[in-house]
Amino acid sequence: MHGPTPSGPRPSRRALLRGAAGGGLALTGLAAAAPGASATAQAPGARATGAKVRDLTGPAQTGRFGAPWTDLGIPARCPDGSMLLVCGDTFDGGGVGGPDWRSPVGLRSSNADPAALTVDGCVGGGRAVGLVPEGHEGGTTAIPSDVFTVGSTMYMHLMRGVIYRTHHSDFWRSDDNGETWQYLCQWPGDQYGGQFQQKTYAVADDGYCYVLSTVFNRDITSGLLLHRVGQDALGNPAAYEPWGYAGGAWAWGNPPTAVTAARRWGEICFRAMDGGYALSWLNMAPLDLRAQFFPLPTSNLFTTPEQTTIVPTVPGREGGNAVASPYGGFIVPGSTVGDLHLAVSQWYDAQNYRVMQYRINGLTR
């Protein structure tokens, strides 16, 4: 993945990775509103305040694990109480495109408190290893879109193919805190017109996981779809039940209908949090990171306020919640609406490619 930036043109991530490879690479809420009831997504609310907490990755932080250059860092609390950060395209050497390309990799913080996250270990012992087989032949890669825990099991969703040309997505489980992963299932990249490529899961207390999905391509305007699946059937594609509008009503089992206005989506992160639900995402036009907070998975996202969490800037002018070339925005477990911690990625040149932790204040339900 690459982070958009207002600082001017630079080589695309797809071209860079091709070079590295040497080749081509009925409930309430929406039940009361018809799709498109709001002609456009609600304008962003007042911008929150925030500040960088720390760099989570970089030569000084993760170079000793062979992962000085990496991104995403999707945080998931492990069954043993530690935190696993699952990262995307990872390189050793002098910068992005360097040797030993792996994706995904797992970095660990033995302390899962958002106030004390520090990478002090990795999957693989002393050197971060690829979590699943991925040889990058022809420029393919395996980009994680979500990692989460249900009971004693961790799950990971990957988008496979040349970046932004998802051939399929696949799903994996781990029963040893993310050390080893077993394949469960996959979905074709063209399902629902591509809108089932990038998935993110909210683990609810009603026995379901609620799944939001969209296209994995920032240049394409697409919808956001909602499904639910029993927590005991996560690896069964047939068990994913869509939420849709038909016959004048929203219901589970209808063909899936976009649950908010179409747009160009970047990364998305959906979580049960703080007595309700939170959605964080990279918004492409205008460029910023945003969040919504709502009581139910089926709440009306057409009218739920969008609150800006991270704003873009140029290198050398960062401060507060202004970040040069931001993307990601994955919610750190333990966050609340009033104390939101995000794993924010950055990439604008070969040595400025990292995962950072930001704390955001001033958000409201």
Side-chain angles (χ1 to χ4, degrees):
M1 297 186 178
H2 71 271
T5 175
S7 59
R10 56 180 169 76
S12 72
R13 175 65 172 274
R14 180 184 295 167
L16 192 152
L17 294 185
R18 284 170 61 94
L25 229 195
L27 296 175
T28 59
L30 271 178
S38 174
T40 60
Q42 182 147 332
R47 288 178 176 173
T49 61
K52 183 176 178 178
V53 178
R54 59 179 61 88
D55 287 330
L56 292 170
T57 71
Q61 293 78 22
T62 52
R64 60 192 167 118
F65 301 115
W69 318 108
T70 193
D71 71 347
L72 301 183
I74 304 171
R77 193 185 299 270
C78 300
D80 69 0
S82 64
M83 193 79 80
L84 182 68
L85 305 177
V86 174
C87 300
D89 291 309
T90 302
F91 307 91
D92 207 343
V96 179
D100 199 10
W101 178 13
R102 291 145 286 154
S103 184
V105 305
L107 303 175
R108 296 193 180 280
S109 174
S110 57
N111 192 332
D113 184 342
L117 291 182
T118 303
V119 174
D120 54 12
C122 67
V123 177
R127 184 176 183 81
V129 298
L131 300 183
V132 303
E134 173 54 69
H136 305 294
E137 292 89 354
T140 63
T141 191
I143 301 295
S145 74
D146 209 1
V147 184
F148 61 97
T149 300
V150 178
S152 62
T153 301
M154 302 188 76
Y155 295 91
M156 175 171 64
H157 182 267
L158 302 175
M159 300 170 292
R160 309 295 289 261
V162 175
I163 194 166
Y164 301 140
R165 298 205 303 268
T166 301
H167 176 269
H168 68 276
S169 61
D170 54 25
F171 201 52
W172 301 71
R173 68 176 285 165
S174 172
D175 297 299
D176 56 7
N177 298 292
E179 279 295 312
T180 60
W181 294 85
Q182 296 78 48
Y183 170 84
L184 289 174
C185 64
Q186 70 178 49
W187 295 268
D190 60 357
Q191 186 166 343
Y192 301 134
Q195 295 174 120
F196 214 45
Q197 294 173 353
Q198 182 177 197
K199 301 181 190 67
T200 179
Y201 292 69
V203 182
D205 60 7
D206 61 0
Y208 285 101
C209 285
Y210 294 89
V211 187
L212 288 173
S213 67
T214 191
V215 169
F216 177 50
N217 188 325
R218 296 175 182 173
D219 293 330
I220 292 178
T221 298
S222 59
L224 191 70
L225 305 182
L226 174 66
H227 287 71
R228 68 178 181 181
V229 58
Q231 292 172 15
D232 59 353
L234 283 160
N236 177 10
Y240 285 64
E241 187 178 19
W243 174 251
Y245 187 82
W250 289 88
W252 294 109
N254 285 339
T257 306
V259 297
T260 192
R263 69 183 74 201
R264 291 163 52 207
W265 298 91
E267 291 75 35
I268 55 177
C269 182
F270 185 32
R271 294 292 183 259
M273 190 186 82
D274 206 16
Y277 292 84
L279 172 63
S280 170
W281 74 95
L282 170 64
N283 199 73
M284 293 304 299
L287 175 63
D288 53 27
L289 270 64
R290 298 185 183 182
Q292 287 177 300
F293 304 100
F294 39 95
L296 297 168
T298 53
S299 293
N300 190 340
L301 300 188
F302 287 97
T303 58
T304 299
E306 300 179 4
Q307 302 180 65
T308 302
T309 58
I310 297 289
V311 298
T313 187
V314 296
R317 297 187 65 182
E318 295 181 288
N321 63 336
V323 181
S325 192
Y327 60 111
F330 298 98
I331 297 169
V332 176
S335 293
T336 65
V337 175
D339 187 21
L340 183 69
H341 290 254
L342 299 175
V344 177
S345 290
Q346 177 181 64
W347 181 61
Y348 58 83
D349 64 31
Q351 281 77 41
N352 285 282
Y353 178 68
R354 60 178 61 88
V355 182
M356 306 169 291
Q357 180 183 353
Y358 274 78
R359 183 180 185 183
I360 308 300
N361 302 302
L363 301 172
T364 59
R365 290 184 182 278

